[in-house]
Amino acid sequence: MAREEVTLLGMWASPLALRIEWALKCKGIWYKCIDEDLLNKSQRLLTHNPIHKKIPVLLHGGKSIPESLVILEYIDETWKQNPLLPEDPYERAMARFWAKFVDEKCWTTIPGVFGNERGDEQEKSKEKAIEELRILEKQLEGKKFFGGESVGFLDIVCGWIAYWLPFIEDITGLKLVDETSFPALSAWFKAYLSVPWVKELLPPPDKLRAHLITFRQKLLSSRLLNI
Amino acid sequence: MAREEVTLLGMWASPLALRIEWALKCKGIWYKCIDEDLLNKSQRLLTHNPIHKKIPVLLHGGKSIPESLVILEYIDETWKQNPLLPEDPYERAMARFWAKFVDEKCWTTIPGVFGNERGDEQEKSKEKAIEELRILEKQLEGKKFFGGESVGFLDIVCGWIAYWLPFIEDITGLKLVDETSFPALSAWFKAYLSVPWVKELLPPPDKLRAHLITFRQKLLSSRLLNI
């Protein structure tokens, strides 16, 4: 059987691109990943995502699919093995509800902690982020994964928090999640990052750390220049 | 056969609640609508949507489902007749992609035109809104509905623009869409609003106009007070 051509326009240190890699790996789909230079966007990226000009974009069967949550649903509907979303419509609705919550809330506040220096803005982001993480903590209570006994859609959506947060805490010197206040989330961090196909795709820690430090310096200095 | 209990926590002048009514009506589902007072939120609303405390919320089978796009998918998966989303995974992905675009872009810029008085903020929103509407215009070229020959998911998602925009243009005195620059969108406005179950649920125009004028006055004066 010929291998299907599946290509991901991504970037090795992008949490949103990693979502797509996790989903494809979970489904056992072979794919090629093209690392995009986000500071100098390629014609390829602009052609395949002319509206948002952002990664990730999945290329499959001559079509381009942008937006990580949209791609995850596409993957789940195209390759039926190892379903990501549950079967029950209400459970599916809840997975989508929480995915939207993570993308609209945590995806703003956690980078808000990272992209600011000590000050009001950072403090506000930190407080909000902790409040939102407490809500996720509650969702996890009594469960090993967001998906229940095994990894599902919402675990893949939230997965970046498990890996990126400790780097953010370390680099900013601000602690958001500890085992005492967040026992369920802390246990989930470990359980999720121990899943073989999750672990296998994690960016190398030293390389990621160096990248995040440089990225943050750029963020902070561009902000200073804007003032 | 006993009638299923389907309740919508909505509000007669809410475009997002109307999405849900349209979808239920399109599926032929009987439902009860409870009009929530958004200035004095009920315990019922806070109980059924404790995270966002917003309408719409669908109550079905003892469960609460908030967030209009999440509810639309739930409705489509629960009642299979008259499917809203197409069958093909890529077409489904595109409907979801554009729905997200409308909610993240037009849902900010069009209210930005409405909720500001003549000035930079309003001009910026107007320019952005027109730019986004041009993108939607392009999506519609050669098609009667976003869904093709018949109304689908994306038509229901965009439907508020067809009905609300002329009121916004009239009240603010700013024209965004005309038949010459937006032939496809203008034709779609008419075609969509002529669908019997779409038309049947539209808020009475005089009542909506009066509501929008009062609502805008409140918005503008609260903004002035904040300055």
Side-chain angles (χ1 to χ4, degrees):
Chain A
M1 209 173 75
R3 237 182 202 174
E4 271 189 295
E5 188 76 36
V6 180
T7 304
L8 172 66
L9 306 186
M11 190 269 181
W12 70 272
S14 157
L16 299 184
L18 186 54
R19 280 182 179 169
I20 312 308
E21 293 205 64
W22 276 330
L24 290 168
K25 191 65 92 175
C26 165
K27 296 275 183 179
I29 304 302
W30 178 90
Y31 64 95
K32 188 171 79 181
C33 189
I34 298 178
D35 225 45
E36 291 287 338
D37 177 356
L38 301 182
L39 295 176
N40 180 21
K41 293 182 181 180
S42 70
Q43 193 49 49
R44 181 182 45 233
L45 178 59
L46 304 182
T47 303
H48 289 294
N49 189 1
I51 303 298
H52 302 301
K53 305 172 180 68
K54 285 181 180 169
I55 59 151
V57 184
L58 189 75
L59 311 182
H60 178 230
K63 308 279 175 68
S64 330
I65 303 114
E67 297 277 350
S68 74
L69 294 187
V70 173
I71 304 173
L72 289 184
E73 296 241 21
Y74 175 82
I75 290 173
D76 211 26
E77 291 178 347
T78 302
W79 297 283
K80 307 283 188 194
Q81 63 273 30
N82 305 328
L84 304 179
L85 279 167
E87 256 191 66
D88 176 70
Y90 173 73
E91 296 299 328
R92 293 167 74 84
M94 286 302 99
R96 289 182 181 123
F97 173 85
W98 288 111
K100 203 166 180 281
F101 173 85
V102 168
D103 276 18
E104 284 174 3
K105 305 282 183 180
C106 313
W107 186 252
T108 307
T109 51
I110 296 179
V113 173
F114 180 70
N116 284 291
E117 271 186 308
R118 291 185 187 289
D120 267 12
E121 204 61 42
Q122 190 182 44
E123 193 51 41
K124 241 191 277 169
S125 294
K126 185 190 160 193
E127 274 170 33
K128 268 197 193 168
I130 289 176
E131 200 179 298
E132 290 157 10
L133 290 165
R134 268 194 220 295
I135 294 173
L136 289 182
E137 167 81 13
K138 229 175 154 198
Q139 286 310 303
L140 267 169
E141 270 170 15
K143 290 195 286 190
K144 185 174 177 191
F145 294 108
F146 285 102
E149 267 316 289
S150 60
V151 167
F153 185 84
L154 191 54
D155 295 280
I156 288 178
V157 169
C158 296
W160 64 275
I161 303 175
Y163 194 57
W164 265 257
L165 192 61
F167 287 101
I168 292 174
E169 291 179 326
D170 181 42
I171 294 170
T172 60
L174 294 171
K175 192 79 186 154
L176 277 80
V177 165
D178 62 68
E179 288 194 25
T180 319
S181 310
F182 291 91
L185 210 54
S186 303
W188 173 77
F189 282 8
K190 278 185 201 150
Y192 183 69
L193 297 177
S194 305
V195 173
W197 51 263
V198 168
K199 201 171 171 178
E200 190 186 319
L201 289 166
L202 295 173
D206 291 348
K207 194 179 166 195
L208 183 62
R209 198 174 188 283
H211 166 82
L212 287 172
I213 289 173
T214 312
F215 181 58
R216 185 166 190 247
Q217 278 160 351
K218 275 189 199 153
L219 262 180
L220 296 177
S221 57
S222 70
R223 197 153 295 166
L224 278 178
L225 286 176
N226 278 342
I227 289 171
Chain B
M1 209 173 76
R3 237 182 203 176
E4 270 188 294
E5 189 76 36
V6 181
T7 302
L8 172 66
L9 307 186
M11 190 269 180
W12 69 272
S14 156
L16 299 184
L18 186 55
R19 279 181 180 171
I20 312 309
E21 294 205 64
W22 277 329
L24 291 168
K25 191 63 92 173
C26 165
K27 297 274 184 181
I29 303 303
W30 179 91
Y31 64 95
K32 189 170 76 180
C33 188
I34 298 179
D35 225 45
E36 291 287 338
D37 177 357
L38 301 183
L39 295 176
N40 182 19
K41 294 183 179 179
S42 69
Q43 192 50 51
R44 180 182 48 230
L45 179 59
L46 305 181
T47 304
H48 289 294
N49 189 2
I51 303 297
H52 302 302
K53 305 171 180 67
K54 285 183 181 167
I55 60 154
V57 184
L58 189 75
L59 312 182
H60 178 231
K63 307 278 173 69
S64 332
I65 304 115
E67 297 276 353
S68 73
L69 294 186
V70 173
I71 303 173
L72 289 184
E73 296 240 22
Y74 175 82
I75 289 174
D76 210 27
E77 291 178 346
T78 302
W79 297 285
K80 307 282 188 192
Q81 64 274 29
N82 304 330
L84 304 178
L85 279 168
E87 255 192 66
D88 175 71
Y90 174 73
E91 296 299 328
R92 294 167 73 84
M94 285 305 97
R96 290 182 180 123
F97 173 84
W98 289 110
K100 203 167 181 282
F101 173 84
V102 168
D103 277 17
E104 285 175 2
K105 305 283 181 177
C106 313
W107 186 253
T108 307
T109 52
I110 296 179
V113 173
F114 180 71
N116 284 290
E117 272 187 308
R118 294 188 184 285
D120 267 12
E121 204 62 42
Q122 192 182 41
E123 195 50 42
K124 240 191 278 169
S125 295
K126 187 191 160 195
E127 274 170 34
K128 266 197 196 171
I130 290 177
E131 199 180 299
E132 291 157 10
L133 290 165
R134 269 194 218 294
I135 293 173
L136 290 183
E137 167 81 11
K138 231 176 151 193
Q139 286 310 303
L140 265 169
E141 272 170 14
K143 290 194 286 190
K144 187 176 177 187
F145 294 109
F146 285 102
E149 267 317 289
S150 59
V151 167
F153 184 83
L154 190 54
D155 295 279
I156 289 179
V157 169
C158 295
W160 64 275
I161 302 176
Y163 195 58
W164 265 256
L165 191 60
F167 287 101
I168 292 174
E169 290 179 326
D170 181 41
I171 294 169
T172 59
L174 294 172
K175 192 76 186 156
L176 277 79
V177 165
D178 62 68
E179 289 196 23
T180 317
S181 311
F182 291 91
L185 210 54
S186 303
W188 173 77
F189 282 8
K190 281 184 201 152
Y192 183 69
L193 297 177
S194 304
V195 173
W197 52 262
V198 169
K199 201 172 171 177
E200 190 186 319
L201 289 166
L202 296 173
D206 290 348
K207 192 178 167 197
L208 183 61
R209 198 174 187 282
H211 167 81
L212 287 173
I213 289 172
T214 313
F215 180 57
R216 186 164 189 249
Q217 279 161 351
K218 274 190 200 150
L219 262 181
L220 296 176
S221 59
S222 71
R223 198 152 297 165
L224 278 176
L225 286 176
N226 278 341
I227 290 171

